[in-house]
Amino acid sequence: MTGCKKNKNLESEGVSSYVSEESAANEEDTSPLRVLIDLEYGSDVYVRLQDELENYDKEYVRGKWEGISLQAKIEDMGGPSSVEIEIAPIRENERDVYLTSLRTEMMSGGGPDVFVCRGGTGFHEKETNGKISFGEWIESEPLFKFPQQAMKRNMFLALEDYIKKAQFMEWEKLTPVVMDAGKTEKGQFLLPMTYTVATTAFRESDVEHTPSRDMKWEDMLSDGPHMPLAAIAEVELIGNGLAPFADYEHDKLAVSEEEMLRYYGVKLDNRKKYNEESGVPYIGFDLKVMHEYDLSIYDESFNKDDPITLVPLYSRNGGYMATVTSFAGINANTKHPDEAFWVVDYLLGEECQRSILYTFMTTNQAVPTLEGLMTSGKAVSTGFEDDNGKPKGKMPDNLYEQFCAVRDNISFADFATPLDREFQKLYFDLLEPSTKSREDVIHDAYMRMSMELAES
């Protein structure tokens, strides 16, 4: 970043600010910093994000919870004094209108200064006349369907020069291969905040495995009695076995119909066979934060303290993928670049990654990008804090060791997109009786996904 000047008042507090020549030129703009947070539409947390952010930095004092808003926290720490937080709606009609209006605003050069977004298709329970219909789920689309394409279209501010002067995020401790998902040949434009990896959990007494950067999905099918089971067990991120499945350079699918036919055929035709040949209990377990890591809630064959083996879902070309589930970025048209980065910097720092804000991205879904968290000394928020309001989300040692092994051998990463849901829907469609052949069902899905990618 060129021409940087320090704010002396903040320096005296031990906190540096980001005041560039570009910002100095825009000093006459007194509009508030606009921060869009679009996380609720697919969250597993059943409290309102708005309420939690208004009571963000809370402690249990004299028998009651006391806290301040996220905006006040930012200002108290020396950040921008005028921050407007905008929370995207989650209900279908309201959300559709909101996203259409926001995209139009962005196309005309406006929009929020900071984006804090979930990726991929989200779900929420249907609401009719103000009443929740429990068990009836509605799909919602993200603001950025394909973040890679948005980066290619120069929608975000380049961040590399700002990152060099970061005061909160510890760049070297953010999982590098995951952060690379937010980078193009022109530099770093998006900052992944959370991610997951598709794995299958076994008891270590039944299965031992060391994560590999070279194993392919096809290799799993011939590697002993248990690996074929791990090759077909994943459902939620079933498409990861076909990764990389998007060619963003040409806006088309990178996987062929023939590869999809082979892949789904193996999964559908061998479920009973592979289960019988393995004969051991297993759990499809995507990496995530849980209030209590007790795998026996999924299968009573697992005891809470059993040593665990996690087997990743390997990809068709070798190695395995991390799926980035949420990210932060700065609007390329912002008039407040330095203030915007101050906020983004804080969002990627340890304090925030352990906070209630991340609960809406991680609980039962994903893990934070900062390494070293989810341990006894650095527990993360799950929405169920201790009596002093401190986070208590941590992995037991038996699972944390395996998590680290999986994390440290990730081969590549990509953002969650609507294609992930399409791959999952295709699997369920193929399980249903149909007058169409398997080939025709896969062809229809292939054409639908190709069109969505080309038109986004």
Side-chain angles (χ1 to χ4, degrees):
M1 185 165 56
T2 60
C4 290
K5 298 181 289 184
K6 293 287 186 178
N7 182 311
K8 293 182 179 179
N9 291 333
L10 295 184
E11 279 190 332
S12 67
E13 298 292 329
V15 180
S16 62
S17 65
Y18 312 93
V19 183
S20 66
E21 291 173 352
E22 182 178 2
S23 269
N26 288 321
E27 283 181 357
E28 68 278 4
D29 190 308
T30 58
S31 59
L33 185 74
R34 187 175 163 196
V35 178
L36 170 67
I37 300 181
D38 187 21
L39 302 174
E40 280 190 295
Y41 77 89
S43 175
D44 260 12
V45 180
Y46 290 90
V47 294
R48 291 179 70 239
L49 177 59
Q50 180 69 52
D51 295 339
E52 296 302 321
L53 295 188
E54 288 175 355
N55 218 11
Y56 173 75
D57 193 26
K58 62 184 180 182
E59 293 183 351
Y60 199 64
V61 180
R62 294 184 294 275
K64 64 178 182 178
W65 291 104
E66 294 182 359
I68 60 174
S69 69
L70 177 57
Q71 296 99 310
K73 175 72 173 179
I74 289 171
E75 184 175 4
D76 284 354
M77 295 181 67
S81 60
S82 182
V83 176
E84 179 182 281
I85 290 182
E86 181 175 324
I87 298 179
I90 63 174
R91 300 300 168 198
E92 52 273 22
N93 294 334
E94 185 183 2
R95 182 172 178 81
D96 291 344
V97 171
Y98 174 84
L99 291 182
T100 299
S101 175
L102 182 58
R103 287 168 178 152
T104 301
E105 183 185 5
M106 290 163 58
M107 287 176 62
S108 64
D113 299 286
V114 175
F115 301 101
V116 183
C117 295
R118 177 183 299 278
T121 303
F123 297 88
H124 64 271
E125 287 179 302
K126 185 177 181 180
E127 182 177 311
T128 306
N129 298 324
K131 294 184 178 181
I132 302 295
S133 300
F134 293 101
E136 284 192 70
W137 296 94
I138 302 294
E139 293 185 14
S140 296
E141 68 176 36
L143 172 60
F144 300 103
K145 291 185 177 182
F146 295 93
Q148 290 280 12
Q149 290 179 325
M151 287 193 291
K152 187 173 66 174
R153 293 166 185 159
N154 302 314
M155 297 184 71
F156 304 109
L157 186 71
L159 299 175
E160 288 189 338
D161 288 341
Y162 290 91
I163 290 170
K164 294 174 184 176
K165 297 183 178 295
Q167 56 186 313
F168 300 112
M169 72 174 79
E170 301 172 87
W171 185 254
E172 70 284 354
K173 295 182 181 179
L174 300 174
T175 302
V177 66
V178 175
M179 303 310 292
D180 282 347
K183 182 185 293 185
T184 72
E185 67 280 359
K186 296 180 181 179
Q188 190 84 35
F189 290 90
L190 291 177
L191 299 176
M193 301 172 77
T194 61
Y195 69 96
T196 188
V197 176
T199 75
T200 302
F202 296 95
R203 296 178 305 196
E204 188 184 82
S205 57
D206 296 324
V207 178
E208 293 186 5
H209 178 73
T210 300
S212 166
R213 294 178 183 269
D214 301 314
M215 179 172 276
K216 299 179 180 180
W217 180 78
E218 288 281 354
D219 298 334
M220 299 177 76
L221 303 178
S222 57
D223 189 12
H226 308 303
M227 289 298 284
L229 183 58
I232 68 167
E234 175 65 27
V235 174
E236 187 167 350
L237 291 172
I238 191 171
N240 285 20
L242 292 168
F245 41 73
D247 176 358
Y248 297 112
E249 186 66 31
H250 302 97
D251 295 338
K252 66 178 185 179
L253 291 175
V255 61
S256 69
E257 275 190 62
E258 291 72 24
E259 288 172 308
M260 286 175 61
L261 185 61
R262 157 75 175 157
Y263 183 72
Y264 282 95
V266 169
K267 285 180 173 286
L268 292 164
D269 297 338
N270 295 281
R271 289 179 297 155
K272 182 177 179 181
K273 174 187 174 184
Y274 290 163
N275 269 283
E276 291 177 347
E277 289 179 350
S278 174
V280 301
Y282 69 95
I283 299 167
F285 184 78
D286 302 338
L287 300 185
K288 56 192 171 186
V289 170
M290 298 172 65
H291 171 53
E292 186 172 358
Y293 287 91
D294 184 356
L295 298 186
S296 66
I297 64 175
Y298 301 107
D299 189 319
E300 293 181 353
S301 302
F302 286 75
N303 294 317
K304 185 174 182 179
D305 298 322
D306 281 342
I308 300 297
T309 295
L310 294 179
V311 178
L313 176 59
Y314 289 95
S315 69
R316 62 190 175 95
N317 290 341
Y320 54 92
M321 180 173 86
T323 300
V324 176
T325 55
S326 60
F327 58 90
I330 297 175
N331 193 330
N333 295 316
T334 181
K335 294 182 173 65
H336 310 285
D338 300 307
E339 293 86 351
F341 185 76
W342 197 103
V343 172
V344 168
D345 183 13
Y346 174 72
L347 294 175
L348 271 290
E350 179 182 322
E351 179 178 278
C352 191
Q353 292 214 26
R354 296 175 62 190
S355 76
I356 189 67
L357 175 61
Y358 269 71
T359 303
F360 287 82
M361 302 178 251
T362 58
T363 296
N364 295 325
Q365 298 177 84
V367 294
T369 49
L370 180 62
E371 298 182 0
L373 303 186
M374 301 176 293
T375 57
S376 296
K378 295 186 177 182
V380 299
S381 172
T382 63
F384 298 93
E385 319 307 3
D386 65 22
D387 291 340
N388 295 314
K390 303 301 182 184
K392 60 177 184 179
K394 58 185 177 63
M395 285 187 179
D397 292 343
N398 61 326
L399 188 57
Y400 186 76
E401 180 181 347
Q402 281 291 295
F403 158 69
C404 290
V406 170
R407 179 199 67 202
D408 293 345
N409 287 283
I410 296 169
S411 304
F412 58 102
D414 197 2
F415 293 93
T417 73
L419 295 183
D420 297 301
R421 173 59 177 157
E422 290 289 346
F423 281 115
Q424 184 189 53
K425 286 171 63 176
L426 175 57
Y427 177 73
F428 290 125
D429 288 345
L430 290 168
L431 286 175
E432 293 293 323
S434 174
T435 57
K436 290 185 175 182
S437 67
R438 180 180 293 176
E439 290 81 357
D440 286 344
V441 174
I442 289 177
H443 174 74
D444 290 346
Y446 190 88
M447 297 306 294
R448 188 169 59 249
M449 286 189 278
S450 297
M451 187 175 300
E452 182 161 21
L453 186 55
E455 293 179 350
S456 63

